[in-house]
Amino acid sequence: MGNEQIKPSIAHSTEWTFIREIKSHPLFGHIKVYKGPSDQLQCLKTVIVEESQYKDQMDSLKKIIVKDVLTQNQPSCSSLVCVNRLETQKQEEFCSNYVKIYLTADYSDQPIQQIKDVKLFMLDIIQALQVMDQKGVNNCQFCPAKILQFGDRVKVVNTQLFTEISDYEQLYFNEVSKDDWMIAPEVMHSLKVNCPPSFNSELAVIFNFGIMMINLLTGIHPKDAQIYDYKNLTINDNLSSYLHSIDQLQIPCHIKQLIQDCVNVKSTLRPTFKLITNLLRQVEIPLQVSQIKNEDVPTNQIFNPCYEDVKKVLSESHVNKNLNFHNESPQKIEKQDFMTDTQQSAQFRKSKQIYNLENTYNSRASIQQKQHTSNKVKTQVKVSKVKSPNKKPKPIRANGNHPK
């Protein structure tokens, strides 16, 4: 009947204990759950393919696995459920050759709990969605069910990796109930005309992300808000009132506006993954700058950034650590504390000069003072030459000999 099955590492490990088998998990499919020595959970997913399809299947898996399990590198996104081990085993049955692919991944049976830090939660989710989108994963029906709780943090499950079917395929084959829809209008249009996905995947997921955030923050599901016309596959006018349902929440206004911008009916007016990430990371910088300006400290001891300085900091993908706005009582600032990225460039290092607003201002003032003093002296000399009563100009005689 075939070769004797060799169990994967986690199955015959003395540190891991088998807990249960789930044949149809909504996120992972058919899996077996194991518990580790520190009560952490992992699941074992088995994929069986013919030997002739083994190479293509492995290439497909490696494309959407964030963590390179073959070299044990760290994952590029900590908010994604990662595959910790990838094992294969050849097997022969009924004169046919098969290959079993074992995927061991992090697992949690805890659904998402109450959001404590909205900004941190949004950052975790949007970074996971961005990484999956770069891997070609279709998440146009992203929903809270795909988010699992791991202690104080949350992780997103890449369902396409475990179920081998994308969100759009599930929508296309009616495997997702319309009552659970959180999809963008352009996705509905593709379903309406019965065609493959022709929409921008990133912008469609951004709409999906905004709808999900409103659902989690208000507890109102899109179905209850009646924002979808399931018969004509269009968006109802109730979407506007659904967006403003977060106006009364005790969250920062800029986060409210960001969520509402994500749920724009026009896809081209929605923010991108990168813009959302930058805004969430840098959202407190203008406030901190204003706090410094209002403190009762001598002007010559405060760094007063100009518009270009603030614009540069806000446009960066990370907060410049050289600009420390978290001091409760700013002290006198040294030159090296204000070395920006531009000043640390190759050209700046070559010139070995440090841009100092105070010195620049003083040098300009001293130059102007010297020029003013010089002009004043010249004016006094001219006046003394003309108006001096003691010296009379000598008469000029015709044909006189004049000294050269």
Side-chain angles (χ1 to χ4, degrees), residues 51-68:
E51 189 175 13
S52 58
Q53 301 175 352
Y54 165 72
K55 186 178 183 303
D56 294 337
Q57 183 71 23
M58 287 294 292
D59 292 341
S60 177
L61 287 174
K62 291 177 182 179
K63 286 181 180 179
I64 58 178
I65 292 179
V66 177
K67 180 178 179 180
D68 189 354

Side-chain angles (χ1 to χ4, degrees), residues 36-237:
S38 302
D39 292 337
Q40 71 271 31
L41 299 178
Q42 289 196 16
C43 64
L44 175 65
K45 172 74 175 180
T46 304
V47 180
I48 303 177
V49 296
E50 294 183 1
E51 189 175 13
S52 58
Q53 301 175 352
Y54 165 72
K55 186 178 183 303
D56 294 337
Q57 183 71 23
M58 287 294 292
D59 292 341
S60 177
L61 287 174
K62 291 177 182 179
K63 286 181 180 179
I64 58 178
I65 292 179
V66 177
K67 180 178 179 180
D68 189 354
V69 293
L70 300 180
T71 59
Q72 295 299 317
N73 290 335
Q74 292 298 319
S76 57
C77 181
S78 60
S79 56
L80 259 178
V81 171
C82 38
V83 175
N84 300 315
R85 189 178 295 273
L86 177 62
E87 301 171 294
T88 60
Q89 174 193 352
K90 292 183 179 181
Q91 187 171 354
E92 182 180 349
E93 292 183 0
F94 302 107
C95 300
S96 299
N97 294 328
Y98 295 91
V99 178
K100 287 188 175 182
I101 304 174
Y102 300 108
L103 299 175
T104 306
D106 295 334
Y107 178 78
S108 173
D109 51 9
Q110 297 294 326
I112 180 177
Q113 301 173 1
Q114 183 179 3
I115 302 176
K116 297 181 180 180
D117 190 332
V118 178
K119 187 178 73 170
L120 179 61
F121 175 83
M122 293 177 65
L123 265 174
D124 286 340
I125 302 303
I126 208 67
Q127 288 175 356
L129 291 175
Q130 181 178 11
V131 171
M132 287 191 289
D133 186 73
Q134 293 171 351
K135 296 285 185 178
V137 179
N138 185 288
N139 278 304
C140 62
Q141 172 50 27
F142 187 74
C143 57
K146 295 184 178 182
I147 307 174
L148 299 178
Q149 194 80 28
F150 289 81
D152 296 334
R153 302 295 292 272
V154 295
K155 291 186 178 182
V156 177
V157 180
N158 181 0
T159 56
Q160 186 172 331
L161 172 62
F162 298 98
T163 61
E164 302 182 67
I165 182 172
S166 67
D167 282 6
Y168 186 79
E169 290 173 332
Q170 290 183 341
L171 293 168
Y172 187 82
F173 294 113
N174 294 322
E175 295 184 10
V176 178
S177 173
K178 292 183 178 180
D179 295 341
D180 298 330
W181 275 11
M182 292 188 177
I183 58 178
E186 59 266 27
V187 178
M188 288 194 297
H189 177 73
S190 295
L191 295 173
K192 185 176 182 179
V193 298
N194 196 21
C195 70
S198 57
F199 49 85
N200 184 298
S201 176
E202 176 181 359
L203 298 179
V205 174
I206 294 297
F207 183 95
N208 193 185
F209 170 74
I211 290 290
M212 185 200 69
M213 288 303 306
I214 297 177
N215 175 31
L216 291 175
L217 293 173
T218 63
I220 305 174
H221 196 276
K223 174 194 172 184
D224 301 328
Q226 299 179 355
I227 68 172
Y228 292 117
D229 184 346
Y230 300 109
K231 183 178 180 180
N232 299 316
L233 297 181
T234 56
I235 297 287
N236 291 328
D237 295 336

